[in-house]
Amino acid sequence: MKTYGQRARRGAAAVETALCMLVIIPVFMYALFVDDLLRHTLDSQETALSTIWDYAVQDYPTKPKNPPPEGGAEEPFYGFNGAQYYARLQYCDHESGLDSFGPGKGPECENDEGHHAEVTAHACWLNPGAQQVQCTLNQADPNGGGGGGPAGAYNVTLHQAYMDDFGKGGVIRCSARLGVQNYLLPRTFLQDFSQVNLARQTKNKSDGIHSNAQGGDLQDDPRGLAGDVYLLPWERIAIVTDTWALTKEARYEPGTEDSDQENLYARVSQIYKSGDNPAYEQMSSAAEAFVNEATQEVLSSDIRLDDMPPGDDPREASLSIVPFPSSGGPTQQLQQNGGSATYFNSEWRDWDRNNNEKTHNARGNNYLGCAQAERC
């Protein structure tokens, strides 16, 4: 027969266990919930970070064969809309590890909820207040305030005219924000002992995660208990691309010209012949007057400045550029006086110190001219 003391100890243990459950069960559930929130935060960061760096490798001069349906004809430069459009497709399931994008994989995240495999918290771009990754060019983030404007604008007419014609990149800002709903944490727990709400409203997965997200109740509650949507912090990131980058190899012989707007010659010619360049206007008038006077008194009247190639006609830019050879200096062979001669087309040697040649030969083939990768 058990004594009174034994029964008392057993009763005390039961009471202690019941009291501990008030703490242990909510803490355990919250641990699972916070774990999901942390992973969703990393997913949101990955979306913005990956998208912004896609712009660093865009082939700006090349027109896409199949532009995206979202404003493909109005993009500020080739690939601007495409980069973020395909990023939204890739990350519609809010992570790269479960990429459901591709042929034969069903409607891309529209009716497919197979990527929602979390235990307690389900993230979705469809929640009110959430936003799939969006990027702007030379503009302030519409949801973040702050300044905008192009990179490198000096309010100089000649400089701005060049930027307007050839500037392809600029300051690109991307932002994304995920919304999360609770599918495990009870809103209340053991109300006989506690009258405090523990979480936002619990959702039922059988109602459809996407439907729940679209019908979400977003409320600005400093306690984080009203409504049923948890908004993760905004993920914002920006990058400055090389706005004048050229991806085509330049090769020009003196006396040749090129009308392709995506090549180097058009850029040099734009600066050289710009109406905002007063020196060009003065030189052009003097050259025309000189040729007119020479043809009247010395040269044949059949000689016309407009018929001369660049170089002979000082009003047109003349370039001498060849790709750098694997060894030796940048040389070009020119026809002259019935024969040919070889010249350096840059200040490669001065036959004194030859600093340009020595600097080039001292550079390695790795980033920043390192002789060994990641060693400088």
Side-chain angles (χ1 to χ4, degrees):
M1 183 174 181
K2 295 183 178 179
T3 65
Y4 171 79
Q6 291 174 319
R7 288 196 300 268
R9 286 193 297 272
R10 185 179 63 181
V15 172
E16 291 171 356
T17 302
L19 292 175
C20 289
M21 290 299 101
L22 292 174
V23 176
I24 294 175
I25 293 179
V27 168
F28 175 73
M29 290 183 173
Y30 264 109
L32 296 177
F33 186 73
V34 170
D35 179 68
D36 279 350
L37 286 182
L38 290 175
R39 289 192 295 106
H40 291 318
T41 300
L42 294 176
D43 292 338
S44 183
Q45 292 176 357
E46 179 190 22
T47 302
L49 183 63
S50 175
T51 303
I52 196 71
W53 280 110
D54 285 344
Y55 285 104
V57 293
Q58 291 298 304
D59 186 5
Y60 294 159
T62 303
K63 185 176 182 179
K65 296 180 180 179
N66 298 308
E70 296 182 3
E74 302 175 357
E75 53 187 355
F77 58 81
Y78 295 143
F80 177 75
N81 291 336
Q84 55 182 306
Y85 170 75
Y86 289 110
R88 286 191 288 270
L89 289 182
Q90 180 180 1
Y91 289 100
C92 76
D93 49 18
H94 25 84
E95 60 177 296
S96 60
L98 294 174
D99 189 9
S100 57
F101 173 66
K105 295 186 178 180
E108 176 62 21
C109 292
E110 293 180 2
N111 302 313
D112 175 22
E113 296 186 356
H115 53 276
H116 288 283
E118 293 80 8
V119 177
T120 62
H122 287 276
C124 191
W125 302 111
L126 300 176
N127 281 294
Q131 175 193 287
Q132 282 191 281
V133 62
Q134 299 282 347
C135 301
T136 61
L137 174 65
N138 295 331
Q139 299 176 11
D141 186 339
N143 297 301
Y154 301 131
N155 296 321
V156 177
T157 306
L158 180 62
H159 179 266
Q160 188 62 47
Y162 184 91
M163 288 188 65
D164 293 341
D165 288 346
F166 304 108
K168 301 298 183 182
V171 182
I172 300 175
R173 297 175 174 87
C174 293
S175 60
R177 193 179 200 184
L178 265 174
V180 179
Q181 288 183 309
N182 166 33
Y183 281 81
L184 179 65
L185 287 181
R187 184 173 177 80
T188 61
F189 182 71
L190 295 178
Q191 288 295 92
D192 292 339
F193 299 92
S194 173
Q195 301 298 321
V196 178
N197 291 334
L198 300 180
R200 297 185 190 269
Q201 188 65 44
T202 308
K203 307 302 291 184
N204 192 337
K205 192 173 182 179
S206 63
D207 295 332
I209 294 175
H210 288 176
S211 297
N212 288 338
Q214 289 176 314
D217 179 17
L218 175 62
Q219 296 190 29
D220 186 11
D221 179 10
R223 299 177 304 164
L225 299 174
D228 59 15
V229 176
Y230 295 88
L231 281 180
L232 299 180
W234 279 102
E235 300 299 339
R236 297 187 176 97
I237 189 171
I239 188 174
V240 179
T241 63
D242 188 347
T243 60
W244 302 340
L246 282 169
T247 58
K248 294 183 178 180
E249 184 179 80
R251 182 187 293 271
Y252 292 103
E253 300 285 344
T256 60
E257 56 185 336
D258 183 5
S259 60
D260 190 340
Q261 292 297 307
E262 300 298 341
N263 289 338
L264 179 63
Y265 185 89
R267 300 186 176 207
V268 174
S269 182
Q270 199 268 2
I271 294 294
Y272 184 68
K273 300 172 62 175
S274 173
D276 297 309
N277 183 359
Y280 176 81
E281 297 295 333
Q282 297 171 9
M283 180 276 298
S284 181
S285 299
E288 292 172 0
F290 175 79
V291 172
N292 289 335
E293 185 175 349
T295 55
Q296 291 175 4
E297 299 182 5
V298 180
L299 303 177
S300 170
S301 59
D302 294 333
I303 297 178
R304 299 176 63 252
L305 197 60
D306 292 339
D307 297 333
M308 296 180 181
D312 292 339
D313 181 358
R315 301 173 303 174
E316 300 294 335
S318 180
L319 305 182
S320 175
I321 298 177
V322 293
F324 231 93
S326 57
S327 62
T331 60
Q332 210 156 13
Q333 192 174 60
L334 303 179
Q335 300 297 320
Q336 60 181 38
N337 299 327
S340 63
T342 300
Y343 296 89
F344 293 115
N345 62 10
S346 68
E347 298 176 0
W348 178 248
R349 287 181 179 174
D350 57 13
W351 286 273
D352 181 16
R353 296 176 180 265
N354 298 331
N355 289 332
N356 285 1
E357 180 183 19
K358 292 177 181 178
T359 300
H360 174 80
N361 292 337
R363 289 179 60 86
N365 295 324
N366 300 291
Y367 183 62
L368 294 178
C370 293
Q372 297 181 1
E374 301 181 4
R375 292 302 180 115
C376 60

